[in-house]
Amino acid sequence: MSIRVVLRRTLSVSAVLVFTIMSTYHIVRHDMANMIENYTGKKYSSPSAHMANTANKKDGPANKKDGPSQQRQNIVLVLIDDLGIGDLKCYGSSFHETPNIDALAAEGVRFTSAYAAHPKCGPARLALFSGVYPARMGSPHQEELKKYEMPNAFECQKKMGYRQMRLPLQVTSMGDAFKLNGYRTGYHGKWHFGNADGRGLPHDHGFEISIGATNLGAVQSHFYPYTNPNAYKQNPPPPMPERSDGTYMADQLTDEAIGTIKTFKNDPFLVVLAHYAVHVPIEAPEDLVGPYTKKRKLLNATDQFTHDHGAVYRTSQDHAGYGGMMTAVDNSLGRVMQALKDMGLDKNTTVVFTSDNGGLASSIKEKNMPDIPTTNHPYRHGKTWLYEGGIRVPLIVHAPDRKPVEGGESAFLTTGTDMYPTLLDLAGLPLQPNDHVDGISFAEAVTTNMDGAVRGGPLFWHFAVAPDQKLGRGQPACSAVLEGRWKLLDFYTEGKGGKRELYDIRNDPYEKNNVSKENPEITRRMFIKIKEWRRTWADEKFYEKEMKKGDDGICVAPEGMRI
C-alpha cells in the first residue's frame, strides 16, 4: 500500500497537503554534509529532525492569536553594510555617536573576536544565510581557478554559467529553516547574492515578505527614488514601495521592517533589516551630517593614511558624511527597539546586530584617501583584505530571555557561517548541521564565559582576484587560516610559489610582525591546512564525478544529497 493511501486514511485532507508539500520541499534539497564527508574525511553529526510545521496545527504556537507569542523567541537580525570594527563608540570610536547601538551592547553581549566569512559583501552575506563558506558556492573567480591548480572547479563553474556569490536554490538556508519551524519570515534591504535573472532572492530562500532586495550590491543614491542620473552605469533601484522624493533609504527600510513586525506580532518571527548603509555612496540627511562637520573642524589632523602591501589605508576617523550615515543606522535601531517595546515584544525578541565585512578603509591610490570613509585602525587595511581590518566585525547579541555573560563581553571566536545555527539556537529551534556545515552555534557564549574555549577546527577565508586584474582596493588574491593563536595568509599569486605571512594573533592582533621565517614548521602546517580545505571545494571527485548540471543552471549533487 502506498504512503499516500495510508496518509489519506489517517490524516485530514489539509494535513495531507501539508505533508506532501513539506516532503517535496526536502526532496529537492540535497545533502551537502554527506558530500563533504565523503571527500574530506571530516565527520558531521547527524542532522536534527525538522520540527513539524506547527503553522497548520490547530493548537500550534504559530497559530495562537490571543496576543504576542510567548512560546518561542522572535529574532530580529540587523545587518549593516561595510560597518567597520572601530565604527561604534562601544567598540572604541571617538568620532561617531551611536547611543542606541551602545545601549544594546550595554544590555546584551558584545563579541570582540567576531569575523566575517569573507571580506566582501556578497560572499559574506551568502555565508551568513547559508552557514557555508562562500568558496563552496563559487566565490573563487573562474580564471583564477583555472590558473592556480583548481581546474576542475573552473570547469564546473564554466558549465554552470554563473559568476560568484550565488546561493543554489536547493540549499536549505536560514529563512527556509525558520519557515519550516513555523516562523513568519521577512527580509528588508540588501541581499546581493541572487541571480542576474531575478531568481535566488529572499522569496526563494524562505522569506515570505521581501522588500528592497535585489542581486545588486549598492544603491546609486540613498535618497528616493534611489537613482542617480549622473552615475557611470544606470542600475534599477531596489523594489520599494513608492515614497516622496528625498526619503532616506535607511528610514524607509526601518519603516518597512517595523510594519512587518506589526504584521507578525502574534506569531513567532524572524525579521531581517539589512541596511544598504553605510556602503557607498556616502550620503546622509544634512541635519545628521552637520554635527560631524563641526566635529571634524575641531580635530588637529584629518584624512590620515599609511602605505601597506602596495596600497594605502585610512588611519583617521573623521568623515562627516559617513558619520551622518552612522547616526542614521543608529536611529534606525533605536526605532526598532522602541517599536518592539510598544508592541509588548521586547521581552521575547532577541536582537542581533552585526556587519557583513570590515569597514571600507583601503585604496590602491593615495589620492583617493579623502573619499575613503572610515578606518579600522589599529587593525590593518579594510574591506576586501584578509588582514584583520577587512574581516573583523562588530557583533552584539541582546537576548532578553538569557542572563548575559558576566561583564557583557565575549572573546569567543566566531565567524559569519555561525550566524545561521546561532539564530536557530537562540530561538530554541533544532540545529541542522547537514545544512550549516561550516557553522556552529555560539549561543552558549551569550551566557557563559567561553573565552578560552576551542572551536574544534580552524577558520578559513578565500579572496580571489583574476591574475591579470588589480582591484581598486589594492588587495592581491589571498587565502587565510586562523587556528588558536596562529593566522597564516597565503598570497598565492605573488612571486614564484606564492608569499606566506604568519602572525601570532593572540599577541599581535594588529599584524605588525610576520613570524613565518622564525616558525617554518607552523607555517608549513598551516599552509597544508589551507590546501586541504581548498580540496573540499575544488576536488576532481567533488566536481566531475559526483556533480551534474541542474535544470536551474547550477551544479547540483546526485539525488539524495544537498549541495
Side-chain angles (χ1 to χ4, degrees):
M1 182 179 295
S2 70
I3 293 176
R4 187 179 299 275
V5 172
V6 173
L7 287 172
R8 283 200 186 98
R9 292 184 177 182
T10 58
L11 300 174
S12 66
V13 173
S14 60
V16 171
L17 291 174
V18 171
F19 183 87
T20 304
I21 292 170
M22 299 305 293
S23 298
T24 303
Y25 190 87
H26 285 291
I27 288 171
V28 300
R29 283 166 164 77
H30 308 304
D31 193 348
M32 179 189 290
N34 289 343
M35 182 181 299
I36 294 172
E37 184 177 316
N38 287 342
Y39 300 115
T40 67
K42 182 177 180 181
K43 180 70 176 177
Y44 288 97
S45 58
S46 300
S48 300
H50 287 299
M51 290 180 64
N53 186 348
T54 57
N56 286 285
K57 292 186 177 181
K58 183 176 180 181
D59 298 321
N63 240 8
K64 291 183 180 293
K65 301 299 181 182
D66 55 350
S69 170
Q70 301 298 320
Q71 303 301 313
R72 308 186 222 171
Q73 279 287 300
N74 305 310
I75 302 291
V76 173
L77 172 61
V78 181
L79 180 60
I80 310 301
D81 198 358
D82 289 359
L83 181 71
I85 185 62
D87 280 339
L88 306 175
K89 179 159 283 189
C90 59
Y91 276 87
S93 175
S94 60
F95 189 68
H96 300 145
E97 301 295 334
T98 53
N100 294 300
I101 301 170
D102 299 342
L104 190 78
E107 297 172 4
V109 178
R110 183 177 70 97
F111 284 79
T112 59
S113 298
Y115 286 88
H118 195 279
K120 283 192 73 176
C121 312
R125 288 160 182 267
L126 185 152
L128 285 169
F129 291 96
S130 69
V132 176
Y133 283 126
R136 298 197 201 280
M137 301 293 189
S139 171
H141 190 283
Q142 291 182 2
E143 292 299 327
E144 179 236 37
L145 288 171
K146 186 176 183 180
K147 182 173 181 178
Y148 292 98
E149 301 177 0
M150 307 169 199
N152 302 303
F154 167 77
E155 290 300 322
C156 180
Q157 287 199 24
K158 186 172 69 173
K159 292 175 182 177
M160 288 191 292
Y162 75 90
R163 296 184 305 143
Q164 58 185 6
M165 303 185 304
R166 298 188 180 176
L167 180 61
L169 301 182
Q170 290 88 345
V171 170
T172 303
S173 54
M174 182 193 296
D176 296 315
F178 273 87
K179 192 173 184 178
L180 285 167
N181 281 283
Y183 271 60
R184 307 291 300 277
T185 53
Y187 195 97
H188 314 78
K190 178 171 171 175
W191 182 250
H192 197 197
F193 52 94
N195 296 352
D197 61 6
R199 294 179 298 170
L201 295 177
H203 277 312
D204 297 315
H205 290 288
F207 290 96
E208 62 177 282
I209 290 179
S210 174
I211 298 173
T214 74
N215 65 306
L216 300 176
V219 290
Q220 295 191 320
S221 172
H222 287 275
F223 293 99
Y224 190 86
Y226 312 124
T227 57
N228 179 2
N230 298 317
Y232 171 74
K233 181 181 179 181
Q234 293 298 311
N235 291 323
M240 299 280 285
E242 186 174 349
R243 288 293 185 95
S244 59
D245 286 353
T247 297
Y248 193 58
M249 170 65 83
D251 294 338
Q252 183 174 2
L253 285 175
T254 306
D255 293 342
E256 302 297 343
I258 291 174
T260 296
I261 292 172
K262 289 180 179 178
T263 300
F264 292 171
K265 66 180 181 180
N266 292 327
D267 300 312
F269 61 78
L270 165 69
V271 168
V272 179
L273 173 53
H275 283 291
Y276 282 90
V278 289
H279 193 289
V280 294
I282 304 302
E283 299 174 334
E286 185 54 43
D287 63 320
L288 302 185
V289 176
Y292 291 100
T293 301
K294 295 177 181 178
K295 205 171 187 179
R296 176 182 165 92
K297 291 178 180 179
L298 299 176
L299 299 176
N300 293 325
T302 57
D303 299 328
Q304 302 296 294
F305 59 87
T306 188
H307 291 265
D308 181 21
H309 208 123
V312 292
Y313 66 88
R314 178 183 276 272
T315 57
S316 63
Q317 193 173 79
D318 47 50
H319 197 293
Y322 190 82
M325 297 181 83
M326 289 298 307
T327 295
V329 297
D330 183 76
N331 289 344
S332 168
L333 178 68
R335 291 180 55 206
V336 169
M337 298 304 291
Q338 186 61 50
L340 291 172
K341 185 175 182 179
D342 292 344
M343 286 183 263
L345 298 170
D346 54 318
K347 302 302 182 184
N348 68 321
T349 301
T350 292
V351 178
V352 178
F353 180 96
T354 192
S355 174
D356 53 357
N357 48 253
L360 178 56
S362 306
S363 178
I364 196 171
K365 295 180 180 179
E366 182 179 311
K367 68 178 183 179
N368 294 336
M369 279 297 101
D371 296 324
I372 298 299
T374 195
T375 181
N376 304 293
H377 189 73
Y379 297 106
R380 288 176 73 176
H381 271 295
K383 177 181 178 178
T384 74
W385 287 79
L386 290 181
Y387 289 124
E388 295 289 282
I391 51 179
R392 281 212 185 216
V393 294
L395 171 63
I396 300 168
V397 177
H398 180 269
D401 64 328
R402 300 170 186 242
K403 183 180 179 180
V405 63
E406 185 176 355
E409 184 176 294
S410 175
F412 182 71
L413 183 66
T414 180
T415 188
T417 55
D418 299 338
M419 186 62 69
Y420 174 3
T422 300
L423 294 189
L424 288 176
D425 206 353
L426 290 171
L429 301 178
L431 303 189
Q432 299 182 180
N434 275 19
D435 296 318
H436 44 73
V437 295
D438 293 315
I440 64 171
S441 171
F442 58 83
E444 187 177 353
V446 174
T447 59
T448 306
N449 187 331
M450 299 178 64
D451 292 0
V454 178
R455 281 184 59 94
L459 300 184
F460 292 100
W461 294 267
H462 182 76
F463 183 84
V465 180
D468 58 348
Q469 189 176 18
K470 193 72 173 178
L471 299 186
R473 308 301 165 202
Q475 73 287 351
C478 185
S479 294
V481 58
L482 173 63
E483 185 172 37
R485 62 192 286 189
W486 299 109
K487 177 182 176 184
L488 183 76
L489 294 97
D490 175 28
F491 296 99
Y492 54 88
T493 64
E494 294 191 355
K496 187 176 181 179
K499 174 186 175 184
R500 282 165 280 285
E501 298 178 2
L502 180 71
Y503 296 96
D504 180 352
I505 291 298
R506 188 174 301 162
N507 298 306
D508 181 24
Y510 308 137
E511 297 167 303
K512 294 181 178 180
N513 302 303
N514 174 12
V515 294
S516 58
K517 292 183 179 179
E518 293 86 345
N519 298 275
E521 181 56 29
I522 294 173
T523 300
R524 186 188 71 83
R525 177 171 55 83
M526 298 290 277
F527 182 48
I528 289 173
K529 289 181 181 293
I530 288 179
K531 291 196 293 184
E532 289 178 344
W533 176 63
R534 284 174 180 160
R535 291 193 186 103
T536 68
W537 46 266
D539 180 87
E540 179 180 354
K541 293 180 180 179
F542 184 89
Y543 281 96
E544 293 188 351
K545 293 185 178 180
E546 298 294 337
M547 304 291 277
K548 63 181 181 179
K549 188 173 181 181
D551 57 9
D552 59 353
I554 59 176
C555 277
V556 297
E559 192 71 20
M561 291 186 179
R562 293 187 181 93
I563 68 167

